[in-house]
Amino acid sequence: MKISICSLFIGLLLTLSSCSTVSYMGDRFSPTDNVDIYYSSKDVKHEYKVIGHITADVIANEESSKRSIIQKAKAVGADAVIIHGIEYKGDKDSSGYSKAETIKYVQE
């Protein structure tokens, strides 16, 4: 019994530690199913409008942070995100966070 409770507790800790905190500030639209990913505004070939900004803590790794950004972008109705990279808080832990812009394509 003691081993199973300990295993459950460790599993819960691992699950919680892999989640990243995501913050969003901006406009919201109907959720989307697909989000294009860009790493530079120069790569976006459509006319667009920035609708918001996302930050996501990098806890487990960069890929989990990227997935969190994409999930949030879909939820707020973005057509695409421009991921600007990782910044570090500069404290002793040196934990980082990813920054991105959510964009909506302008209908022509």
Side-chain angles (χ1 to χ4, degrees), residues 20-23 53-59 61-62 65-66 69 83-91 94-100:
S20 74
T21 302
V22 180
S23 299
H53 301 273
I54 297 175
T55 58
D57 289 340
V58 178
I59 295 175
N61 59 45
E62 294 84 5
S65 176
K66 179 180 167 184
I69 287 171
I83 298 175
H84 293 290
I86 299 172
E87 292 190 15
Y88 293 92
K89 298 174 184 174
D91 57 5
S94 193
S95 57
Y97 58 97
S98 298
K99 292 177 68 174

Side-chain angles (χ1 to χ4, degrees), residues 61-72:
N61 59 45
E62 294 84 5
E63 279 300 310
S64 66
S65 176
K66 179 180 167 184
R67 283 191 302 272
S68 296
I69 287 171
I70 293 168
Q71 183 178 20
K72 179 55 98 175

Side-chain angles (χ1 to χ4, degrees), residues 33-88:
D33 295 325
N34 185 42
V35 173
D36 296 331
I37 310 299
Y38 300 99
Y39 298 97
S40 172
S41 58
K42 293 184 277 185
D43 294 334
V44 182
K45 303 301 180 204
H46 305 277
E47 187 176 342
Y48 67 90
K49 173 185 175 187
V50 174
I51 61 168
H53 301 273
I54 297 175
T55 58
D57 289 340
V58 178
I59 295 175
N61 59 45
E62 294 84 5
E63 279 300 310
S64 66
S65 176
K66 179 180 167 184
R67 283 191 302 272
S68 296
I69 287 171
I70 293 168
Q71 183 178 20
K72 179 55 98 175
K74 287 179 180 180
V76 301
D79 292 323
V81 295
I82 303 170
I83 298 175
H84 293 290
I86 299 172
E87 292 190 15
Y88 293 92

